[in-house]
Amino acid sequence: MKTEDETVQIGTEGCTGLITLNRPEALNALTRPMVLSIGEALTAWEHDPAVRQVVLRGAGERGLCAGGDIRAIHADAKAGTTGSLAFWRDEYRLNARIARYPKPYVALMDGIVMGGGVGLSAHGGVRIVTERSRVAMPETGIGFVPDVGGTYLLSRAPGELGTHLALTGTAVGPGDAMLCGLADHYLPSDWLEEFTRELAAGPVAEVLGEFDRVSLPAAPLAAEREWIDHCYAADTVEEIHRRLLATGLPAAREASQTLHAKSPTSLKVTLAALRRARALDSLERVLEQEYRVSSAALSAPDLVEGIRAQVIDKDRRPRWSPAALVQVREATVERYFAPLGEGAELTFSN
């Protein structure tokens, strides 16, 4: 089983189905054909008794997946077209499917795992990080909002850790990824090749037992819980800023400075999305909400400008509109959650 352009390599080794994201020059950034290929493989293997489990990995040494192909999203948004909606619809359906997959789905979260890469991995049943893992949902820095089920995962992290990560876009290492519920197991990166070979012959539960002989990595955020939980429990981004500065702690001050660089609109919408996600009872309901939010973001000015500043021109000087939190009206935030109309929503059967 192979894809036409080889951006995803699909195959089997023994009792394991292997999915390899194969765009290493683009940090395995995800495209719609890649999403569709992964879905087709999962369908075939779900009904194949010879395949007992599935492994997701990334080609190259830099990471599993840096997210969606945001250059394509930028071109779409700039042109005022809506091709990205089809991509997100398929991607979010795949995220939900991964979470409900009936066979063990093993994600090797080595290196950079961001945005869409989190969606492909962190909903899996067996999520493995390494000493090289850097896991993040950095969307507020490009004028977007965490998606791919990211608001579901982060809204359910301990305390307000998820709010901190969602608003600041901070990348965490293996220990903090496990602390925040984004990963389950830790293996040194130089063990992954042998680990994958062993999976060809046996079930992942048994193979993990054979490799479970390393100490868990430190989770630095655990020591920061007191100020994080206090500051990010606030009802508004403005109050979060105020509390961060009032602590007098260098780490909190740094977080405040980080927030100042993000899209004010994205920050307010992200906070609202997280709070609403906590009240929703399933990943599917959250993905439906995220689709509304992403659809609104596609026609908002900050997405085009954020990608331009961070990825296209790389001047790192986005000109957000509006430029300040106080200028972001509540009605603007609410627009991101408004119904899309009959036939335009993302829906799930359950």
Side-chain angles (χ1 to χ4, degrees), residues 1-3 8-21 34-57 94 97-98 100-107 120 196:
M1 188 190 308
K2 292 185 177 181
T3 59
V8 179
Q9 294 178 340
I10 306 293
T12 58
E13 290 186 9
C15 64
T16 297
L18 288 174
I19 301 170
T20 305
L21 307 181
M34 294 168 73
V35 167
L36 296 175
S37 294
I38 294 168
E40 290 170 2
L42 292 181
T43 296
W45 291 334
E46 182 175 348
H47 306 290
D48 185 348
V51 176
R52 300 176 61 177
Q53 58 214 1
V54 174
V55 170
L56 173 75
R57 61 188 180 181
L94 178 61
R97 185 171 189 192
I98 288 168
R100 309 293 182 222
Y101 201 63
K103 297 181 179 182
Y105 180 98
V106 185
L120 287 182
T196 304

Side-chain angles (χ1 to χ4, degrees), residues 109-113 128-135 172-174 177:
M109 301 172 69
D110 185 34
I112 292 174
V113 185
I128 297 172
V129 284
T130 76
E131 80 284 354
R132 302 190 299 194
S133 295
R134 302 297 293 167
V135 184
V172 297

Side-chain angles (χ1 to χ4, degrees), residues 85 89 288-297 335-346:
L85 297 181
R89 185 179 291 268
E288 289 167 355
Q289 173 177 278
E290 289 181 349
Y291 186 76
R292 288 182 176 180
V293 171
S294 298
S295 298
R335 182 179 70 83
Y336 282 75
F337 300 92
L340 300 175
E342 185 176 356
E345 302 277 7
L346 172 67

Side-chain angles (χ1 to χ4, degrees), residues 19-175:
I19 301 170
T20 305
L21 307 181
N22 191 37
R23 295 185 70 202
E25 74 288 349
L27 261 172
N28 299 318
L30 199 59
T31 64
R32 189 182 182 206
M34 294 168 73
V35 167
L36 296 175
S37 294
I38 294 168
E40 290 170 2
L42 292 181
T43 296
W45 291 334
E46 182 175 348
H47 306 290
D48 185 348
V51 176
R52 300 176 61 177
Q53 58 214 1
V54 174
V55 170
L56 173 75
R57 61 188 180 181
E61 297 294 320
R62 299 168 63 197
L64 173 65
C65 176
D69 189 340
I70 58 175
R71 287 180 177 270
I73 294 171
H74 177 267
D76 189 32
K78 189 174 182 180
T81 49
T82 58
S84 297
L85 297 181
F87 167 60
W88 288 327
R89 185 179 291 268
D90 292 331
E91 183 184 25
Y92 298 175
R93 288 190 182 280
L94 178 61
N95 300 147
R97 185 171 189 192
I98 288 168
R100 309 293 182 222
Y101 201 63
K103 297 181 179 182
Y105 180 98
V106 185
L108 305 184
M109 301 172 69
D110 185 34
I112 292 174
V113 185
M114 296 184 179
V118 173
L120 287 182
S121 59
H123 298 298
V126 182
R127 306 164 300 175
I128 297 172
V129 284
T130 76
E131 80 284 354
R132 302 190 299 194
S133 295
R134 302 297 293 167
V135 184
M137 295 297 295
E139 286 77 7
T140 58
I142 59 166
F144 197 46
V145 178
D147 65 337
V148 298
T151 61
Y152 177 87
L153 294 165
L154 294 177
S155 69
R156 286 153 174 80
E160 296 292 338
L161 291 177
T163 310
H164 170 62
L165 297 185
L167 293 180
T168 63
T170 298
V172 297

Side-chain angles (χ1 to χ4, degrees), residues 145-146 151-152 155 267-280 286 289-290 293 333 337:
V145 178
T151 61
Y152 177 87
S155 69
L267 290 175
K268 288 201 170 185
V269 175
T270 295
L271 183 61
L274 289 168
R275 299 297 191 249
R276 295 178 187 219
R278 282 180 179 170
L280 296 174
V286 175
Q289 173 177 278
E290 289 181 349
V293 171
V333 175
F337 300 92

